[in-house]
């Protein structure tokens, strides 16, 4: 009986844990569709953690991003839950390749008001970013999500704030985390943000309004809308975002370039070292061929040129002699006039 009782007890714990992670109500198909792939794995509740800025981790090489987190800190988010959000942000930072020329991170904190905690130009290493995250405090009021998105577009995603120029073709990404229904309009503001080139991910927690999440997010919605039942399991989304934001390194995975492999996030192309050119197969290289042009001389043309030069020289000599004769005559006339 004792082994059976232990088995039943473990099963009840797993069942309660699964209920905390998912809400698969048959009457709420929108919610079911928005469940992220990350939630289908590792159903166990994560251990209690605290944010440790000194501990950093380089789990993958992400493609360069201008990444802005937009986090809800309204009064519905309790202090302990807000700490979970901050741990989630720190975990996300750990998965990214942070740096001046890599991924830059900013955080926009909002409730009834909006506060930019730090800009894309402020921190270029993981320890500094995580220390800045530890200093974020909840604003504890309403839920002005539309205002937060607008502020992010106008103040965080600007070159003055550290966003790279459009010509650099650096992806601009916003990740919104909220547990409630916006108290302002988000559809038009979000559409304008997406039209400006910002890719939006919407993360809903607990009482988050699914329709609002869908209005904010980029398409396809299945890849940009996520939901977790509680802040206690929000950390599980880190693995999903790692799959989405961490770019593969095709060159490191293996390539057939003879000289240089150049990554283009999803693929690569080959280049050659100086002095070489890429062959038609776009993989191998050959030395540049120095094109030597042999000029054939026409003997007839040379003789004609020599004859012309001789004629020209003879004509010049004749002119010189005539000028000398004229000069002499002028000089004699001047002397005669002077004696008279």
């Amino acid at each position: 009986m004792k082994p059976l009782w232990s088995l039943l007890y473990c099963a009840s714990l797993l069942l309660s844990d699964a209920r905390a992670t998912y809400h698969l109500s048959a009457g709420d198909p929108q919610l079911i569709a928005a469940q992220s792939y990350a939630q289908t794995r590792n159903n166990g509740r994560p251990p209690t953690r605290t944010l440790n800025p000194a501990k950093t981790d380089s789990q993958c090489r992400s493609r360069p991003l201008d990444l802005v987190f937009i986090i809800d800190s309204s009064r519905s988010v309790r202090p302990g839950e807000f700490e979970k959000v901050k741990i989630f942000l720190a975990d996300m930072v750990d998965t990214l390749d942070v740096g001046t020329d890599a991924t830059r991170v900013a955080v926009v904190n909002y409730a009834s008001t909006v506060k930019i905690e730090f800009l894309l130009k402020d921190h270029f290493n993981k320890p500094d970013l995580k220390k800045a995250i530890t200093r974020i405090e909840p604003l504890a009021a309403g839920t002005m999500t539309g205002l937060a998105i607008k502020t992010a577009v106008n103040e965080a995603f600007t070159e003055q704030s550290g966003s790279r120029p459009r010509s650099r073709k650096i992806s601009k990404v916003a990740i919104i985390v909220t547990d409630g229904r916006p108290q302002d309009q988000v559809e038009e503001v979000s559409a304008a943000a997406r039209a400006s080139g910002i890719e939006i991910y919407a993360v809903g927690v607990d009482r988050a309004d699914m329709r609002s999440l869908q209005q904010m997010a980029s398409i396809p919605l299945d890849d940009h809308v996520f939901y977790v039942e509680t802040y206690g399991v929000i950390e599980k989304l880190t693995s999903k975002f790692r799959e989405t934001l961490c770019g593969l390194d095709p060159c490191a995975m293996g390539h057939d370039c003879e000289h240089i492999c150049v990554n283009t996030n999803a693929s690569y192309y080959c280049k050659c070292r100086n002095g070489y050119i890429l062959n038609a197969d776009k993989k191998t290289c050959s030395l540049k061929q120095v094109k030597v042009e042999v000029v054939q001389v026409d003997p007839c043309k040379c003789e004609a040129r020599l004859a012309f030069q001789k004629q020209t020289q003879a004509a010049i000599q004749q002119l010189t002699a005539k000028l000398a004769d004229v000069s002499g005559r002028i000089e004699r006339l001047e002397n005669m006039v002077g004696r008279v």
Side-chain angles (χ1 to χ4, degrees):
M1 286 296 293
K2 187 172 182 181
L4 179 60
W5 171 254
S6 299
L7 183 62
L8 290 172
Y9 177 71
C10 291
S12 66
L13 288 177
L14 288 173
L15 181 61
S16 64
D17 197 35
R19 285 175 177 169
T21 309
Y22 312 117
H23 182 61
L24 301 179
S25 169
D28 195 356
Q30 286 184 326
L31 189 57
I32 296 173
Q35 296 294 325
S36 73
Y37 172 68
Q39 292 173 266
T40 65
R41 302 184 301 175
N42 303 323
N43 290 341
R45 189 181 302 277
T48 302
R49 294 182 53 204
T50 56
L51 205 168
N52 182 0
K55 183 180 179 182
T56 62
D57 192 8
S58 298
Q59 294 294 331
C60 73
R61 175 180 176 175
S62 68
R63 55 191 169 102
L65 304 170
D66 285 338
L67 175 60
V68 176
F69 291 98
I70 304 174
I71 57 172
D72 177 359
S73 66
S74 56
R75 67 168 60 92
S76 61
V77 184
R78 293 185 287 273
E81 294 173 333
F82 194 68
E83 287 301 312
K84 292 289 186 182
V85 175
K86 290 161 65 172
I87 292 173
F88 166 66
L89 297 185
D91 286 348
M92 287 293 300
V93 166
D94 273 339
T95 69
L96 301 171
D97 184 17
V98 175
T100 307
D101 297 319
T103 291
R104 300 181 181 184
V105 179
V107 173
V108 174
N109 186 12
Y110 79 95
S112 290
T113 58
V114 179
K115 179 183 179 184
I116 298 180
E117 297 291 345
F118 52 86
L119 296 169
L120 294 168
K121 66 180 181 180
D122 289 343
H123 306 293
F124 296 123
N125 63 71
K126 296 181 183 182
D128 287 349
L129 274 172
K130 294 172 75 173
K131 286 177 183 176
I133 290 171
T134 62
R135 293 192 289 268
I136 299 175
E137 296 292 337
L139 300 176
T143 312
M144 303 296 286
T145 311
L147 178 61
I149 296 171
K150 186 175 182 179
T151 301
V153 172
N154 294 338
E155 299 182 32
F157 282 110
T158 64
E159 291 185 34
Q160 293 83 357
S161 298
S163 183
R164 269 71 64 95
R166 189 183 298 272
S167 60
R168 294 279 301 277
K169 297 182 180 180
I170 303 295
S171 299
K172 302 186 186 307
V173 177
I175 299 178
I176 303 169
V177 181
T178 180
D179 75 336
R181 182 188 299 273
Q183 295 177 341
D184 56 358
Q185 296 298 315
V186 297
E187 188 169 8
E188 291 185 6
V189 172
S190 300
R194 296 192 301 267
S196 71
I198 299 171
E199 184 178 9
I200 300 179
Y201 293 86
V203 177
V205 184
D206 194 9
R207 298 169 297 277
D209 178 59
M210 185 56 60
R211 179 172 175 77
S212 298
L213 296 177
Q214 293 172 339
Q215 289 175 341
M216 291 185 287
S218 298
I219 56 174
L221 294 179
D222 286 346
D223 294 336
H224 292 85
V225 178
F226 306 118
Y227 175 83
V228 290
E229 188 70 25
T230 68
Y231 281 103
V233 293
I234 193 173
E235 295 170 54
K236 290 185 178 181
L237 291 182
T238 307
S239 61
K240 176 58 182 175
F241 278 111
R242 182 179 316 187
E243 295 171 9
T244 302
L245 301 180
C246 290
L248 296 176
D249 186 349
C251 290
M253 295 175 65
H255 62 87
D256 48 7
C257 297
E258 184 178 2
H259 284 184
I260 302 169
C261 178
V262 180
N263 283 319
T264 59
N265 291 330
S267 185
Y268 68 90
Y269 64 90
C270 301
K271 285 180 62 177
C272 298
R273 295 190 291 270
N274 289 337
Y276 292 81
I277 58 172
L278 196 64
N279 293 328
D281 61 6
K282 302 299 181 183
K283 300 173 184 177
T284 59
C285 301
S286 297
L287 277 169
K288 285 184 179 179
Q289 298 295 324
V290 179
K291 191 173 182 180
V292 178
E293 185 177 354
V294 179
V295 180
Q296 294 184 349
V297 179
D298 187 344
C300 294
K301 289 183 178 179
C302 289
E303 290 178 4
R305 181 176 296 177
L306 287 172
F308 174 75
Q309 289 176 348
K310 288 180 180 179
Q311 291 175 359
T312 303
Q313 288 175 354
I316 292 172
Q317 288 174 354
Q318 291 176 0
L319 287 172
T320 302
K322 288 182 178 180
L323 286 172
D325 182 58
V326 170
S327 296
R329 290 181 181 183
I330 292 172
E331 186 176 354
R332 287 193 295 273
L333 287 172
E334 287 177 348
N335 291 333
M336 291 172 62
V337 171
R339 286 195 294 271
V340 174

